[in-house]
Amino acid sequence: MIKLDTSYSLGSIIESNFMGISNDAEPDNVIVTLSKNMVTCFHMPSQNQVHCWSSSDKLSSGVIFDPSTNCYYGVFNYTRIGKWLRSSLMMKDMKKFNFTEKIIKLLTRLDFKGAVAVFENGHCECLKEAIGNRKKIRDAVINDDETIELANLCIFRTKAICIIVSADSKNIKTLRSVPLEDTFLPISLQISFKNKTDKLLGYCVRENFDSLNILTFWSNGYLYSNELYAETNSNDFPGKQLTEITLINLNKQVTLIQLSSDCIGLYGAEPKGDGAALIIYNFHYNMVVAVQHFKIYTIPPNLWCFGNHLLLVTGQNLAVIPFTCERNNLSLLMDNNLIKINDKYEETEWDSYAKQKCVDKISTSALSQSKLNEMIITDHINNKKDKSLIRLLIENNDISDTSLVEILSYCSLNVTKHSNLLLKLFAYPPLNKPSCLRRQLPFENMLIILNTLYSLMKEKLVEERLVDWMTLMIDCSFQQILLSNDPNVLELIIKVQKDINSKCDYVESVYNKNNTMCVMKSKNINSKKRDGPVNNLYKIEKINLY
């Protein structure tokens, strides 16, 4: 299940000069080739620029990072590859390799040790081998009248395969697989529909460990999936019809991209107006699970995915949308806006039969699991049933932030009495939306919880969850802590700082000792040539002072 967060801008771009994005050495960094002469590297969460390079030579495709050599590579004027180090300030320091055949793109990915060069004739080859055999004549994979539209590096059953899609002079598209090893046979598949009136709007390759599929989206509004390297060959392209998607304009180009094993993103124009829509489709439930709208639709609708970040072009801005992958939970799809809130309550006396009947009625209603948990938690707090709350926290992982803050507020009234409940609560992951903590929990109660957290941290050597909760509490009450001018609050913060520093020093010392132990174990000393055991980490010498 994919949950989209709020988007933010990474920077401005000029669409006509923009050449693409690729992953950097760090998972949260991306390489943005802004133009033929300018390359930048951004850290997405902080929006900071990490590196920037410029060149008088003109790039013809996006720059990539090759993890096998720890260097950056770019294609210049289609026939020259440049290589430079991360520490280089200018591209003029790069090493150049000239080719006799045109290279249109370089491919890489974080889970592949190396890079791949894609030539104009469709030939795909590992970059290291291509540089070593620059004068080699390479066999053409596509026809002379075809141009490559898409080139993807896929991992199928632990083997690397390049998937290229080319279009001829009549705009007939053909998908071809180019295995980088001899494990699989190459595939050639024409992307066409039996009904000639339906137009292809977008396509992408969906890869899992044991399957490789081509997903196509057509002007009839339907999404199709066709498995490549299937055990039983089927010529019935476009394959299995998955679903109809009506939240997107069916007359304009759409970009498809895989986000996880069971989710893809579709980025295109809104059905009405000039805006754009990002749609997340889930294969597990065969339905749309998230939609986000943007003011401007750009042609082509560029969309990329790196780690847990989506990047797209809207107008002249490069937008970043962080997302989280959660387990498939149907209750998360329940629309809370459809739930009618009843402000009229009626007090009544319960007998055991009536209470059980009410519980059965609630459990069979259309409320989501988190809403049911909210009702049950409120009831347990009103009746001061700590054991029931502890059992609920142990058995449920779909508890809303509002309910967690409600339990925190309840425990802050008497932390000694509710110590067991607090321990179970702090074993739970911290809040996704800290704003409800600021709204629902008064500052005085927050200080009580902070003191309790500090006491628990002192008892335990290293407890990551407690540190996370402590960080959350301090972040949420940061302004109030600064404005309070209370010496007791300042003393508590200093104590927490000292304790955290002490634990960090401890972890660092343990890490250093582990490294020392590994070095001592890895030493290969021939003890037979020596009288006794020898340790090369130190040496004893006798010094005659007189």
Side-chain angles (χ1 to χ4, degrees):
M1 190 77 70
I2 296 291
K3 289 182 71 175
L4 298 176
D5 294 334
T6 307
S7 63
Y8 57 86
S9 176
L10 196 61
S12 300
I13 61 169
I14 300 173
E15 185 67 24
S16 58
N17 297 333
F18 185 64
M19 306 199 71
I21 305 175
S22 62
N23 51 267
D24 193 22
E26 301 297 328
D28 287 335
N29 290 1
V30 286
I31 306 164
V32 182
T33 309
L34 291 170
S35 68
K36 294 181 179 180
N37 305 98
M38 182 68 68
V39 182
T40 56
C41 179
F42 288 100
H43 181 251
M44 290 182 286
S46 65
Q47 301 169 256
N48 291 332
Q49 181 178 292
V50 182
H51 298 286
C52 182
W53 301 281
S54 61
S55 170
S56 56
D57 295 334
K58 291 186 177 181
L59 287 157
S60 52
S61 72
V63 169
I64 63 138
F65 176 80
D66 183 2
S68 64
T69 58
N70 208 30
C71 291
Y72 293 90
Y73 291 86
V75 181
F76 297 85
N77 298 320
Y78 296 101
T79 56
R80 186 188 305 123
I81 288 181
K83 169 187 175 183
W84 66 95
L85 295 171
R86 193 181 185 87
S87 56
S88 300
L89 299 176
M90 298 287 289
M91 284 191 198
K92 64 181 182 181
D93 302 329
M94 64 184 173
K95 190 175 181 180
K96 299 176 182 178
F97 306 94
N98 293 317
F99 286 77
T100 55
E101 297 180 38
K102 287 186 177 181
I103 301 168
I104 61 159
K105 198 170 186 181
L106 298 177
L107 303 174
T108 186
R109 50 189 285 168
L110 287 174
D111 56 353
F112 179 72
K113 195 71 174 175
V116 175
V118 181
F119 290 83
E120 187 183 37
N121 63 2
H123 183 88
C124 300
E125 191 175 350
C126 287
L127 182 58
K128 186 178 179 181
E129 295 174 9
I131 291 174
N133 301 291
R134 296 192 292 278
K135 296 182 180 180
K136 167 184 162 185
I137 298 173
R138 294 169 173 87
D139 298 331
V141 175
I142 63 175
N143 299 323
D144 294 337
D145 65 334
E146 291 180 312
T147 55
I148 294 176
E149 283 190 348
L150 172 82
N152 271 6
L153 177 59
C154 301
I155 305 295
F156 176 50
R157 294 174 186 167
T158 70
K159 304 298 180 183
I161 296 179
C162 281
I163 301 293
I164 58 173
V165 177
S166 59
D168 62 11
S169 54
K170 296 180 181 179
N171 202 29
I172 297 173
K173 300 185 191 321
T174 306
L175 178 143
R176 294 178 176 88
S177 69
V178 185
L180 297 178
E181 302 176 41
D182 296 332
T183 313
F184 302 102
L185 294 172
I187 286 177
S188 180
L189 179 67
Q190 188 172 311
I191 302 176
S192 60
F193 202 77
K194 286 183 278 188
N195 186 354
K196 299 296 182 182
T197 58
D198 291 326
K199 290 173 58 180
L200 179 68
L201 299 181
Y203 56 88
C204 76
V205 179
R206 181 193 176 201
E207 56 178 285
N208 288 320
F209 176 77
D210 57 350
S211 66
L212 207 58
N213 297 270
I214 173 72
L215 303 175
T216 52
F217 184 62
W218 300 81
S219 58
N220 60 4
Y222 283 95
L223 183 69
Y224 293 85
S225 175
N226 187 281
E227 186 175 352
L228 309 175
Y229 294 102
E231 293 181 2
T232 56
N233 292 325
S234 174
N235 297 321
D236 189 22
F237 193 86
K240 181 184 177 183
Q241 181 179 296
L242 298 177
T243 189
E244 183 181 14
I245 297 175
T246 58
L247 300 171
I248 211 161
N249 194 315
L250 301 179
N251 297 315
K252 295 184 179 180
Q253 186 180 345
V254 179
T255 298
L256 280 69
I257 195 166
Q258 183 176 1
L259 307 183
S260 65
S261 59
D262 57 5
C263 285
I264 63 164
L266 297 92
Y267 181 51
E270 289 179 330
K272 295 179 181 179
D274 299 326
L278 173 64
I279 296 166
I280 308 301
Y281 171 78
N282 185 287
F283 290 95
H284 185 79
Y285 293 120
N286 196 27
M287 64 185 295
V288 173
V289 294
V291 180
Q292 198 164 122
H293 296 276
F294 299 89
K295 291 182 180 179
I296 302 171
Y297 169 75
T298 310
I299 301 174
N302 289 315
L303 179 67
W304 300 267
C305 179
F306 298 101
N308 284 346
H309 294 85
L310 275 169
L311 290 93
L312 54 86
V313 176
T314 171
Q316 291 188 339
N317 285 311
L318 183 61
V320 180
I321 308 168
F323 65 89
T324 52
C325 294
E326 299 181 347
R327 65 181 182 83
N328 288 312
N329 192 343
L330 192 58
S331 64
L332 295 175
L333 301 177
M334 298 295 293
D335 188 358
N336 293 331
N337 297 321
L338 299 177
I339 300 170
K340 294 181 180 179
I341 299 172
N342 185 8
D343 295 327
K344 297 178 181 178
Y345 297 97
E346 187 178 321
E347 289 189 10
T348 183
E349 293 293 328
W350 291 94
D351 57 31
S352 58
Y353 172 75
K355 189 171 183 179
Q356 185 59 44
K357 189 175 179 181
C358 180
V359 170
D360 294 340
K361 186 178 179 181
I362 290 173
S363 62
T364 56
S365 67
L367 294 174
S368 64
Q369 183 64 48
S370 61
K371 281 289 176 185
L372 292 173
N373 286 338
E374 281 182 20
M375 296 168 66
I376 295 167
I377 285 169
T378 304
D379 183 63
H380 287 336
I381 287 174
N382 292 335
N383 294 313
K384 300 179 180 179
K385 294 183 177 179
D386 283 29
K387 289 183 179 179
S388 300
L389 286 168
I390 290 170
R391 188 167 64 251
L392 191 68
L393 286 171
I394 293 171
E395 295 175 355
N396 270 282
N397 59 357
D398 192 9
I399 297 175
S400 66
D401 290 351
T402 306
S403 295
L404 291 175
V405 176
E406 194 177 358
I407 297 172
L408 262 180
S409 180
Y410 168 66
C411 292
S412 65
L413 301 175
N414 190 334
V415 290
T416 307
K417 183 180 177 182
H418 307 303
S419 58
N420 291 332
L421 178 57
L422 268 176
L423 280 173
K424 291 299 175 187
L425 179 66
F426 291 143
Y428 212 82
L431 310 181
N432 293 319
K433 296 178 181 178
S435 56
C436 63
L437 187 63
R438 298 188 191 98
R439 290 196 309 268
Q440 293 176 240
L441 195 65
F443 181 57
E444 294 77 15
N445 299 57
M446 209 174 287
L447 288 177
I448 293 169
I449 299 296
L450 275 172
N451 272 297
T452 308
L453 275 167
Y454 172 67
S455 301
L456 291 171
M457 283 175 60
K458 284 190 70 177
E459 293 173 12
K460 296 180 180 291
L461 193 60
V462 178
E463 182 58 55
E464 188 178 353
R465 279 274 189 263
L466 293 176
V467 175
D468 290 341
W469 274 99
M470 176 69 79
T471 306
L472 175 70
M473 301 293 287
I474 292 174
D475 285 345
C476 289
S477 57
F478 183 71
Q479 288 286 350
Q480 292 157 300
I481 289 171
L482 289 178
L483 296 171
S484 67
N485 291 325
D486 188 343
N488 294 325
V489 175
L490 179 62
E491 185 183 356
L492 173 63
I493 297 299
I494 292 171
K495 283 180 182 178
V496 171
Q497 183 187 22
K498 286 181 179 179
D499 191 64
I500 294 290
N501 289 338
S502 173
K503 285 178 167 53
C504 288
D505 292 340
Y506 172 79
V507 171
E508 188 177 356
S509 64
V510 170
Y511 177 76
N512 290 335
K513 285 180 180 178
N514 283 340
N515 287 342
T516 305
M517 293 295 291
C518 289
V519 171
M520 291 172 69
K521 288 178 181 178
S522 63
K523 287 291 182 181
N524 186 15
I525 302 170
N526 190 357
S527 58
K528 293 181 180 179
K529 295 181 180 180
R530 302 185 183 272
D531 297 332
V534 176
N535 190 336
N536 281 354
L537 294 177
Y538 66 91
K539 187 175 181 181
I540 299 173
E541 292 184 358
K542 288 183 179 180
I543 301 173
N544 295 321
L545 299 176
Y546 302 101

